[in-house]
Amino acid sequence: LKAKIEIPNCKNVPAVEKTIKLHPSSHVAKLQILSMGGQKAIRIKHQDEIEWIAGDTMHNLIFQMYDEGDREIIITPALAEKIKVNWTPKINRDHLVQGLLPDVKVPTTVKDVRYCHVSFHDDHGSLESSFTVRPIPDEPKRLKCRLKGLNTVQMGEELQSEIELMVTDQYGNQIETLTSSCIDLLGISGTGLDKNYLKITWQENTQAMNVKGIKFSPVPPGSKELCFAWREFSDYIRVNLTAGPPAKLVLVDWPGLEEPVSVINGKELQKPLIVQICDEWDNPSTEPNVKITLVKDSSLKITPPNQSHKTNGNGRVNFGVFAVSAPRGEHVLQFKSSYNKRTLESPVVKLNILPDPEKPVRIIVKYDQDAVFTAGGTFTEFIVSIVSEDDKIIRNLRPEDISMKMWKGQSSGSRPPVTATTLNCSKIDKEGFFYFREKIIPDRTGKYSIQFIFDKTVALFSQQIGINVVASRPVKILPDPQPATPAVSNVQNIASRTLVKSLCFRIVDEHHNNTGTDLDGKLIARIKSCSKENTEIPLFHGNVSTIEFPINQGSAEITNLVLAENSPGRDSTEYVIEFEPVLPTIFRGSLKSYCLLFMFYNDFKKQQQMAELTKERDQLTQSIVAYRHLFDAASQLTNEIKCHAEEANAKEEHLRNELKNHQITVPETNKMQSIQIILKQKMSQRESIIKQPRRRCMLCNYPDIKPDILGKIAHLAEVEDEDAARVISWHLASDMDCVVTTTTEAARCVFDETQGQQQVLPLDSIYKNTIPDWNRALPHFHNGKNFFKPVGNPVFARELLHFPENAKQCRLVFGMLLRDTIILDDLDAANHYRKEVVKVTYCPTLLTREGDRIRSNGKFGGHQNKAPPVDRLRGMVFGAPLPKSYSDICVQIDLLQQYYSAAVKADQVNQELDLHVESLSTPEMKQKKHELDEQEKNLKLIEQKLGMTPSRGTDFSSEQSKFDMESTPVPTKRMRREGTKKAFSSEEWVSASLKKQLLTQSPTSDTNGSLRKRKA
């Protein structure tokens, strides 16, 4: 180098030139990076961009350093320490001494660029070199799918979103070297995918394949997986397939609606009615707030009443369990709705309304309609039965629930009057017949009505039976009305000699009913003395001792019976006129004569005085008789009420002990309320037991059940054990649908009505001698002892059957079908049992609880001898009976109801007794007792004045008073009580005449009329 040195502002100073020789130093002046590709090295310039396969590693990177003279510098460990790289924190110094750089890991995604920087620092300066590694996609290794939009599609509709498919390398980097012809290699598959609507296109700008037209054929909704395959690569996406647009209504868990569903009138359906909105392919729709209405026959009544409901978030409405009531026969109901101006309908539910075998609807009364009802006699036997809706007699009823009502005359309505006499049942048998025997006929003739009442939850009345009570045989003759005691004298005045002015006699029976209307004869009147010592007998007019009067049609008229003038007779003496009936057709003396007492006087004035006293005596006698009837009735009523109170208290105590035996204790405090609370709890428990899910026979029963049609075999029995029910039902599978009838005629009717499609079995065509004994011992019990010890718990299959009704007929049917079939636990136990039994006797068919069968010939195995699961029996399986706790609770409820009724009755009777006893101690009753004593004293004085035997006249009057008292039917206890209370009113027992002459507040002569009113 030449260097010229001068001063710019001093031109006078000459420049100096020097020649300099420059030698390159040995310090590092240049850094160079190379990539070795085989034997060839490729130089990587500063800030170069290198494309490399994504995820790969750049190996064989080397570097070289040169000094200023382009001489390569040998790398020493000291120099290596001064070299740094940015892609790895750890550097192998030995490799750096050899000129090797660390390997560079290429990013896995094309978007991730790796910046690589190499630097050298020392005291003389620093050098650096950098390059960028850009990843490029590797070979195609994957197919990537992406759903652009929602992944939900309705059945029958196309997926609105499109699916984008890209081919990528193993790291997901899209391969952008494909062409549109690649779509020919794309395949799409999926469950239910309808490929007819697929549309596949190539998007040049995105280098991707687009798929549209995803649509499914009718398949169950849910998550559906679509498989996309391109060459050997595949990918999957999931699409949520939902139900199509609402198109119909479906009833949940109600299969087989083609056949009518049998339900007992007034009872609930077996299952709740749950309505689900579905598409046209029966897939459930989740459309909420859709109004659904129940449409039914007008004659069909449901409880709770019909009402509309809206669907919930699952598109479902639960209408609950209905109780249905309708006339017997087939009725329909259907659910309807409107959605988007489209009517949605459910299948029609056919309900076969069967009569309720436990609901009483009619009372049947049987009796001898040709019987003659004689007054005071005994009724013919009445046989009463309660008939249910199915025209069958209801059994197991309580005799306390039925009674016989009787009253005189006819009721204007269909119910008996409140004053009717109540008669209780005499006997009840197991067949449901109530017997009313030896009931007393009223002792008064006339028209009567009888009606039977069944009173449990709802009162049921029979047709009223009209009867005519006729008089019994003639026993005596009586005057009508009862005459007063005559007082006569033998003077010339005919009025003073008249014994009877006018009097009518009638032939009566023992109860004083008029009878003998077909009898004619004569009535002989004669005078007799009341004392044997008195021989002076008065004579009738004309000085005759007897006078005859004609009897026509059972009655005789006596007029102007007069004593003879100056007739013999003892003064102030009692005589009687005997009226003796003489009838040609009746033996003389068999009819009791009537005696009329009279007083005879020789003095006219004395006769007039005695006549007045006699009149007062008759009035007083009638009053005393009435009082005595009053106190006798009160005493009788007291005894009756005490007796009923003792019976009611004893019954209440008995029922309380029965409840204690059933672990029910009723506290004495608030007893009635406690009974109601316990009863409500027990009824709630019973309802919960009834509503508990249990195995039911889903086979429809024969729709027209009659007394001679028992029903299908599947409905005649129930089996508690699940496994036994399955295997027995399968064993009898061919017979389960058979209808059992009692007669061949009924079987023929069923056959004709079903056009021969229904198999039938008449009981009268079964040869009963081959039916096995129901109580026969198992075959391993031979000659009175166990031949071997069995395993597997063997039991006759028939012993596992429970018959809800018609047990006798059902034993015959299943005895013929099952014969001696035995059930054991498993097949090993059954084989062992058969192997031992055949050593001594014949072995019947064996079934196992696991579902196996060994036929009576020893054959077993194969699908023919293996019972399928219950769900494959199509509902033809015996139902399960109600648990034992149900019958226990029913007994407890019955006892509680009886105890409640007994407690109510006991309280009522005890209160009535207290009130009655109190009424007997009232001042009014004490006054009447005092009045009776006073009147008896006065009567005795009058009789002494009359010269009569004390109390004798009272007996004559008493007989006629009894006749008046019995002029009406036998009063009921209630009538006697009411009559007694009414009789306690003194206003009806006061005689104005006797007030002035004898007593104050004494009974009147109209006492018999008051008593008739009381007893009516």
Side-chain angles (χ1 to χ4, degrees), residues 754-772:
T754 59
Q755 300 179 352
Q757 299 298 314
Q758 177 64 58
Q759 55 176 337
V760 291
L761 173 62
L763 294 181
D764 59 359
S765 66
I766 297 177
Y767 184 62
K768 299 178 178 59
N769 290 343
T770 60
I771 303 300

Side-chain angles (χ1 to χ4, degrees), residues 11-31:
K11 294 183 178 182
N12 297 325
V13 178
V16 178
E17 290 185 3
K18 293 291 184 177
T19 300
I20 301 171
K21 187 176 181 180
L22 182 63
H23 294 281
S25 69
S26 60
H27 298 295
V28 177
K30 185 171 62 174
L31 178 64

